[in-house]
């Protein structure tokens, strides 16, 4: 691990100033992802600004829904009574992520900003456009079991690893951020980006911007939701594919994980199923339409059948509820 300076700011503005005006500085909170990358030489900041002591650890029930402080621990968020009773999709997604020890360490903002688990990204001896722009993509033509199938580019085929982000995508959540130019709100759909020719940028955040909270709108009356994750082992593993879904009257919302560089909101599928029966055949047809642009390789082609079967299972299950 390379040496770095360590700072513990007393205010949000001080924290932002320390990072925004130092291109080699980085925030750290729970550190469950960043510390691994420091050890591997994947991340090499010269200054770490620890925001864990800042007052960002409250969960508030508001007139419009829920406001989650950036430093709320994943385990606390999953267990919160309002999350368990009103946002089952979020609670289940959080509980399916990592181990109990890591969930007790990881924070809401850190979860959203965790970087890909592509094996080549984590191996500093191999070319990776995400780690070193312009060096190439070892995953293309390499070990491809975990590669993305939607929204890929010639520069990157990595997937986004967060379960929480997939749930928040289907909940139409937003993040509040504070930067050198002030406060702004970013819809979650616009936070994570597809790789294009600059996969080193995972999000639309400007350097120095600090996520301070996540806001989640209230669901319609009678809405039901859930999260399903297919993985190699039940104890803890990243998603091969995952499905977050909300059904509320005629409205159907679906987001997929493990298939793209960002949580994939299945908008074509949602439009096809709006107001119709949530039976096996129309769901599979809508999945086929959503996956029409998928690009697969020998190692990851299984994801198409897996995500289709998982989506059918989830939606037919929710349709048995108070719809």
């Amino acid at each position: 691990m390379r040496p770095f300076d360590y700072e513990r700011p007393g205010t949000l503005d001080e924290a932002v100033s320390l990072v925004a005006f130092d291109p080699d500085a980085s925030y750290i909170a729970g550190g469950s992802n960043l510390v691994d990358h420091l050890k591997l030489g994947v991340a090499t900041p010269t200054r770490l600004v620890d925001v864990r002591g800042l007052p960002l650890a409250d969960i508030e029930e508001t007139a419009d829904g829920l406001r989650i402080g950036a430093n709320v621990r994943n385990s606390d968020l999953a267990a919160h009574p309002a999350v368990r009773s009103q946002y089952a999709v979020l609670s289940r997604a959080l509980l399916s992520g990592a181990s109990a020890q890591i969930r007790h360490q990881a924070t809401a903002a850190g979860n959203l900003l965790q970087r890909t688990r592509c094996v080549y990204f984590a191996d500093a001896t191999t070319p990776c456009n995400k780690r070193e722009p312009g060096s190439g993509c070892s995953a293309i033509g390499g070990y491809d079991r975990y590669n993305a199938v939607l929204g890929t580019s010639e520069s990157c085929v990595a997937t986004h690893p967060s379960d929480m982000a997939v749930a928040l995508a289907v909940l139409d959540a937003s993040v509040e951020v504070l930067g050198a130019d002030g406060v702004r709100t970013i819809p979650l759909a616009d936070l994570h980006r597809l790789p294009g020719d600059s996969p080193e940028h995972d999000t639309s955040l400007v350097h120095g911007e600090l996520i301070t909270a996540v806001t989640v709108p209230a669901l319609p009356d009678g809405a039901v939701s859930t999260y399903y994750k297919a993985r190699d082992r039940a104890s803890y593993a990243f998603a091969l594919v995952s499905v977050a879904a909300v059904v509320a009257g005629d409205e159907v919302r679906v987001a997929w994980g493990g298939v793209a560089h960002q949580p994939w909101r299945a908008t074509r599928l949602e439009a096809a199923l709006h107001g119709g029966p949530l039976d096996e055949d129309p769901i599979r047809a809508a999945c086929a339409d959503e996956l029409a642009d998928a690009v697969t390789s020998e190692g990851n082609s299984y994801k198409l059948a897996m995500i289709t079967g998982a989506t059918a299972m989830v939606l037919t299950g929710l349709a048995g509820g108070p719809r």
Side-chain angles (χ1 to χ4, degrees):
M1 185 183 298
R2 297 185 183 181
F4 51 81
D5 294 330
Y6 176 79
E7 310 269 5
R8 296 192 71 181
T11 67
L12 292 171
D13 287 339
E14 183 185 355
V16 169
S17 180
L18 286 168
V19 175
F21 300 105
D22 181 350
D24 295 320
S26 177
Y27 296 114
I28 186 169
S32 54
N33 187 216
L34 179 58
V35 171
D36 284 345
H37 290 163
L38 292 172
K39 294 176 180 176
L40 293 168
V42 171
T44 56
T46 58
R47 170 188 281 176
L48 286 183
V49 177
D50 189 344
V51 297
R52 194 62 185 258
L54 298 178
L56 300 171
D58 292 330
I59 301 172
E60 304 171 49
E61 294 183 70
T62 69
D64 300 322
L66 205 62
R67 187 177 187 278
I68 304 162
N71 285 346
V72 171
R73 296 183 301 189
N74 287 2
S75 53
D76 293 337
L77 183 57
H80 191 276
V83 176
R84 294 182 63 186
S85 62
Q86 301 169 41
Y87 304 96
V89 61
L90 178 57
S91 182
R92 293 183 180 188
L94 286 161
L95 292 174
S96 73
S99 65
Q101 292 91 338
I102 293 174
R103 291 196 295 272
H104 204 57
Q105 179 73 13
T107 64
N111 189 306
L112 294 178
L113 298 179
Q114 62 182 302
R115 307 207 69 189
T116 182
R117 258 59 177 188
C118 176
V119 295
Y120 299 102
F121 175 74
D123 182 355
T125 67
T126 62
C128 172
N129 288 320
K130 178 177 283 296
R131 176 171 25 81
E132 185 177 350
S135 63
C137 178
S138 300
I140 298 175
Y143 182 71
D144 53 12
R145 175 170 162 75
Y146 303 113
N147 288 2
V149 297
L150 292 168
T152 59
S153 74
E154 294 181 354
S155 297
C156 184
V157 290
T159 55
H160 182 72
S162 169
D163 296 293
M164 177 186 177
V166 182
L168 291 176
V170 84
L171 290 171
D172 292 332
S174 297
V175 294
E176 297 176 359
V177 302
L178 174 65
D181 294 329
V183 177
R184 67 176 177 133
T185 299
I186 307 173
L188 196 87
D190 297 331
L191 176 65
H192 301 101
R193 58 184 299 281
L194 294 177
D197 58 4
S198 55
E200 70 273 19
H201 300 300
D202 290 328
T203 72
S204 58
L205 292 176
V206 175
H207 178 74
E209 285 189 320
L210 175 68
I211 294 179
T212 55
V214 179
T215 56
V216 185
L219 285 171
D221 290 342
V224 289
S225 68
T226 195
Y227 184 78
Y228 174 77
K229 177 177 180 179
R231 47 188 163 178
D232 283 328
R233 61 175 186 267
S235 56
Y236 61 91
F238 293 97
L240 298 172
V241 302
S242 66
V243 179
V246 173
V247 174
D250 287 342
E251 183 185 15
V252 178
R253 304 185 206 167
V254 173
W256 289 340
V259 299
H261 196 259
Q262 61 182 191
W264 188 268
R265 186 69 183 262
T267 53
R268 280 191 284 185
L269 176 149
E270 291 176 352
L273 295 178
H274 184 86
L278 290 184
D279 297 329
E280 185 93 10
D281 287 346
I283 294 171
R284 287 184 174 273
C287 286
D289 185 43
E290 187 71 41
L291 292 165
D293 299 327
V295 177
T296 65
S297 56
E298 182 177 355
N300 69 359
S301 59
Y302 72 92
K303 288 193 174 187
L304 303 191
M306 184 176 281
I307 196 71
T308 298
T311 303
M313 180 184 68
V314 165
L315 290 181
T316 55
L318 288 179
R323 186 166 190 250

